Amino acid sequence: MSPTRPLLGGVELGGTKCICLIGTAPDDIRDQVSIPTGTEPHKTLGLIAEQLGNWQGVHGKIAALGIACFGPVDLQPRSPTYGHITSTPKPGWQDVDVVGHLGAAEPIPTRFDTDVNGAALAEGRWGAARELADFAYVTVGTGVGVGLVVNGRLVYGFGHPELGHTRVARLAGDQWPGSCPSHGDCVEGLASGTAIAARTGAAAELLPVDSPVWQPVAHAIAQLLHTIVLATAPRRIILGGGVMQSRPQLIEEVRVRLLRSLNGYLPLEKLTGSIAQYVVAPGLGMLAGPLGALALASDANCSAANAATR
Ligand code: ZN
């Protein structure tokens, strides 16, 4: 523990659970709790705000708050709906003002971003992409999301990228229509935990290794990685999330299919020595998401400190 590092609060809102933590850095997490996301956002966000308040009574006041949230979310600071979840298919969570609910009675520097962007920041700072200026973090869990870092910065346009909803070439012979309510057979509609459950009737972690569903799932993920490689030329792709975590063999299947799909067009293996070092699991494991919220809080605190000294 370092007395010189500011105390930070982090909240990762995920599709099934919300992780809250307080600490100064990954090696100094003072406490952490998990709260079910549920379908009543006001109740869930109320519990999170209460937890943050209780912790501050024990550990002291936090200098900044980071919120890493499932999307889509409004990240435009001048927008009247900044800090809101927007058009999520998640029941009850459309148009919810997350930042407004979690904002402290006494305002503190707060950074709000997507869960994948937060995880990408954390992996770049403490995990599998340290010292890499160009990389992608891909999560395959309840949904599919991508955080892109190019030239050392997260990529934004009018909002955050939504590459999880990319349409891809289907596995030959696979006619399943997909589960995305907006697009049917986009990558999220084919490969997310939600899609796997809709297709098989079982949660991903309960399916056998030789279930036929893994072929179209691996194919769709590899197709997404094909697009990412060609779009931003990342030096590494980190592939995490609950589905990947529950099926360790899946990442190798994705690597093989990615190489086959690229067909020698780009020398991926020359970049890192082997495809196994190009497409990798998160260095932070399942903590990539929660530590993403901490990374956002750290950035919020630094921005506030820099503004104060200008
Ligand atoms: Zn979609």
Side-chain angles (χ1 to χ4, degrees):
M1 177 191 326
S2 164
T4 61
R5 293 190 297 204
L7 189 61
L8 305 167
V11 179
E12 183 205 17
L13 287 97
T16 55
K17 64 180 186 293
C18 304
I19 310 279
C20 311
L21 52 80
I22 185 168
T24 65
D27 62 356
D28 178 32
I29 302 299
R30 309 279 173 88
D31 208 345
Q32 180 175 323
V33 299
S34 175
I35 295 169
T37 306
T39 55
E40 297 177 78
H42 293 255
K43 187 175 160 192
T44 306
L45 294 170
L47 287 171
I48 293 170
E50 188 181 331
Q51 181 65 70
L52 290 170
N54 290 344
W55 274 340
Q56 291 183 83
V58 176
H59 300 283
K61 187 170 163 39
I62 57 175
L65 177 65
I67 306 168
C69 185
F70 65 86
V73 294
D74 186 344
L75 299 179
Q76 294 289 340
R78 292 195 187 88
S79 164
T81 55
Y82 168 76
H84 287 52
I85 295 170
T86 57
S87 55
T88 179
K90 186 158 183 58
W93 285 85
Q94 294 87 358
D95 305 316
V96 169
D97 181 3
V98 175
V99 172
H101 273 86
L102 296 182
E106 192 181 332
I108 56 170
T110 299
R111 185 151 298 181
F112 177 68
D113 211 322
T114 63
D115 46 1
V116 281
N117 277 350
L121 277 183
E123 285 289 325
R125 207 159 292 173
W126 304 302
R130 271 177 291 179
E131 298 175 11
L132 290 181
D134 306 284
F135 65 95
Y137 177 89
V138 179
T139 182
V140 183
T142 309
V144 176
V146 182
L148 292 171
V149 174
V150 176
N151 274 334
R153 299 177 74 90
L154 283 161
V155 171
Y156 302 95
F158 62 83
H160 54 86
E162 282 280 3
L163 276 164
H165 292 270
T166 303
R167 293 191 191 278
V168 295
R170 296 290 300 270
L171 181 65
D174 183 24
Q175 303 292 326
W176 189 62
S179 69
C180 176
S182 299
H183 317 114
D185 62 354
C186 66
V187 175
E188 181 165 302
L190 292 170
S192 64
T194 307
I196 293 167
R199 186 168 188 162
T200 66
E205 63 270 22
L206 300 177
L207 291 168
V209 172
D210 59 354
S211 166
V213 78
W214 297 118
Q215 289 183 38
V217 167
H219 178 85
I221 299 168
Q223 289 289 293
L224 172 62
L225 267 51
H226 178 129
T227 300
I228 293 169
V229 168
L230 297 176
T232 69
R235 295 176 188 280
R236 183 164 292 152
I237 297 178
I238 301 164
L239 189 49
V243 171
M244 300 307 302
Q245 184 82 9
S246 69
R247 290 291 152 198
Q249 89 287 350
L250 188 56
I251 194 168
E252 183 57 24
E253 181 71 17
V254 171
R255 289 173 182 138
V256 169
R257 288 178 181 273
L258 172 61
L259 284 180
R260 197 184 301 156
S261 181
L262 288 169
N263 196 26
Y265 189 71
L266 291 173
L268 291 190
E269 290 168 298
K270 282 188 186 168
L271 278 172
T272 49
S274 78
I275 191 68
Q277 290 171 308
Y278 186 78
V279 178
V280 303
L284 301 169
M286 289 305 282
L287 285 177
L291 290 178
L294 198 74
L296 291 169
S298 177
D299 285 359
N301 186 54
C302 288
S303 295
N306 289 339
T309 56
R310 255 179 229 140

